[in-house]
Amino acid sequence: MKTLFSLRHIALAAALTCVSAQADACTRVVYLGDNQDVITARSMDWKSDVATNLWVLPKGIARDGQAGPRSIRWTSRYGSVVATGYDISTTDGLNEAGLSANLLWLAESEYPQQRGSRPGLAISLWAQYVLDNFATVAEAVAALEREPFSIVTDKVPGESRLATLHLSLSDASGDSAIVEYIQGKQVIHHDRAYQVMTNSPVFDQQLALNAYWQDIGGTVMLPGTNRSADRFARAKFYINAIPKSEDPVVALASVFSVIRNVSVPYGITTPGEPNISSTRWRTVADHKRRLYFFESAMTPNTFWVDLNKADFSRGAPVLKLDLGPDQRNVLAGDALPRFQPSEPFQFLGTDG
């Protein structure tokens, strides 16, 4: 009797999905629409309140890599709107040139043990370094390939484990890159086709896992668990299945529906897999219209920041939008008028 899948295929699928059993459950996806529409969405999944607030950061800020006396130093060329983690790290953001950066968990990350002659960069500043310095993915990749710094990681606030992250980049042209550190070496995957990033396993293995599901076909069957490889397959299928509408309202609604589809319901825990966590918030960056949307799992409304209206000029004030504990503060519409002048948050650093 013929069945849709042979026992061999079922066994293979089970083996593939188990690879990612211990991954924190964030997802990033890029929509490539008609009329040069590019929209990047991500979910932030974490087991506890990540104490996120939104910030408007102008250009011209002098920064230090916060990795001891041999830290890399720079002055920001571009202003950005960012979402923080614990107000000590940039974990997500969009700059005024239309470049987006997203940090997601990757348990397999191994950063260089010896920095050698390279200056250091605390992992808390990794995404901000890119947002400050580059307008496009190609520019960022060309610079990162020269390895101008060594990433220095530190413990997650309130935990004993080290932060192990990988970085995704996307820009207004639709270009994408994934930057990982595997066995102490930087690995960059650069291609417009790299629309999706989740967590474990490493990115090249994610591509191999997704190829299996593409052979099956998303209209026949898609994996439905919270595991990283399953979310990757669903996100990849749906982001290319939704209509490529020229209506920005329709396009944004479609992208929101995809990132919600790969989110983890609030309060969900997975027995035996403590690192699979609830989705706490989602962001959607409209590169063409320079809008940065934020949606908290704890509030009924989606709101946004219009980067066209923000003052990113040198000497402009740093602005903060307080989202409250668990991002419970209720906001709607264009939230830029709700931002307040503030002292800049302090990036978490190390003594090197």
Side-chain angles (χ1 to χ4, degrees), residues 131-188:
L131 294 173
D132 282 352
N133 286 294
F134 308 111
T136 67
V137 171
E139 285 181 17
V141 168
L144 294 177
E145 285 178 337
R146 295 193 291 269
E147 299 193 64
F149 53 76
S150 288
I151 289 289
V152 181
T153 191
D154 206 341
K155 292 180 180 178
V156 177
E159 301 186 34
S160 59
R161 63 176 174 167
L162 292 173
T164 52
L165 307 169
H166 56 170
L167 173 69
S168 69
L169 307 173
S170 51
D171 65 24
S173 75
D175 199 8
S176 280
I178 312 298
V179 187
E180 300 178 336
Y181 281 84
I182 308 302
Q183 297 180 345
K185 296 185 181 300
Q186 180 182 252
V187 178
I188 300 177

Side-chain angles (χ1 to χ4, degrees), residues 270-316:
T270 304
E273 298 176 19
N275 290 331
I276 290 184
S277 307
S278 301
T279 296
R280 296 190 165 267
W281 50 259
R282 289 169 285 266
T283 61
V284 173
D286 185 329
H287 297 261
K288 181 178 179 179
R289 283 164 282 273
R290 300 207 310 170
L291 300 172
Y292 186 72
F293 294 82
F294 191 93
E295 180 179 65
S296 171
M298 300 296 284
T299 61
N301 298 324
T302 298
F303 63 91
W304 63 88
V305 181
D306 187 342
L307 275 71
N308 300 289
K309 298 177 181 178
D311 184 359
F312 293 117
S313 63
R314 293 175 183 270

Side-chain angles (χ1 to χ4, degrees), residues 49-342:
D49 181 15
V50 73
T52 295
N53 291 301
L54 296 189
W55 294 76
V56 173
L57 304 176
K59 68 181 71 174
I61 297 177
R63 300 203 195 278
D64 180 296
Q66 298 294 316
R70 296 190 60 257
S71 297
I72 189 170
R73 289 173 171 79
W74 71 94
T75 299
S76 58
R77 298 174 58 204
Y78 301 99
S80 56
V81 174
V82 305
T84 61
Y86 303 99
D87 266 357
I88 59 167
S89 173
T90 293
T91 191
D92 193 86
L94 177 69
N95 75 12
E96 60 180 317
L99 180 68
S100 174
N102 326 96
L103 284 178
L104 279 69
W105 195 263
L106 180 67
E108 291 87 348
S109 299
E110 294 181 34
Y111 306 103
Q113 293 294 319
Q114 300 293 330
R115 299 213 301 266
S117 61
R118 295 192 188 101
L121 177 71
I123 198 168
S124 62
L125 283 127
W126 194 10
Q128 193 63 52
Y129 177 85
V130 173
L131 294 173
D132 282 352
N133 286 294
F134 308 111
T136 67
V137 171
E139 285 181 17
V141 168
L144 294 177
E145 285 178 337
R146 295 193 291 269
E147 299 193 64
F149 53 76
S150 288
I151 289 289
V152 181
T153 191
D154 206 341
K155 292 180 180 178
V156 177
E159 301 186 34
S160 59
R161 63 176 174 167
L162 292 173
T164 52
L165 307 169
H166 56 170
L167 173 69
S168 69
L169 307 173
S170 51
D171 65 24
S173 75
D175 199 8
S176 280
I178 312 298
V179 187
E180 300 178 336
Y181 281 84
I182 308 302
Q183 297 180 345
K185 296 185 181 300
Q186 180 182 252
V187 178
I188 300 177
H189 303 270
H190 179 202
D191 197 288
R192 182 182 173 89
Y194 298 149
Q195 295 170 261
V196 179
M197 183 174 88
T198 54
N199 313 106
S200 296
V202 297
F203 190 69
D204 56 355
Q205 293 180 34
Q206 288 279 22
L207 295 176
L209 299 180
N210 186 62
Y212 169 81
W213 292 108
Q214 285 183 314
D215 286 343
I216 294 172
T219 58
V220 175
M221 175 180 163
L222 280 171
T225 79
N226 297 335
R227 291 188 176 99
S228 177
D230 289 8
R231 288 180 285 105
F232 190 107
R234 292 203 306 280
K236 180 66 173 177
F237 172 75
Y238 283 122
I239 202 64
N240 290 296
I242 57 177
K244 302 299 186 281
S245 176
E246 293 186 14
D247 183 338
V249 175
V250 173
L252 285 164
S254 297
V255 175
F256 263 109
S257 69
V258 173
I259 200 64
R260 289 166 181 156
N261 178 278
V262 293
S263 295
V264 181
Y266 201 86
I268 286 289
T269 58
T270 304
E273 298 176 19
N275 290 331
I276 290 184
S277 307
S278 301
T279 296
R280 296 190 165 267
W281 50 259
R282 289 169 285 266
T283 61
V284 173
D286 185 329
H287 297 261
K288 181 178 179 179
R289 283 164 282 273
R290 300 207 310 170
L291 300 172
Y292 186 72
F293 294 82
F294 191 93
E295 180 179 65
S296 171
M298 300 296 284
T299 61
N301 298 324
T302 298
F303 63 91
W304 63 88
V305 181
D306 187 342
L307 275 71
N308 300 289
K309 298 177 181 178
D311 184 359
F312 293 117
S313 63
R314 293 175 183 270
V318 171
L319 303 178
K320 175 184 178 181
L321 182 63
D322 186 350
L323 300 183
D326 291 305
Q327 299 76 58
R328 286 174 177 258
N329 291 351
V330 178
L331 298 150
D334 185 354
L336 185 59
R338 299 284 297 274
F339 281 72
Q340 297 295 319
S342 175

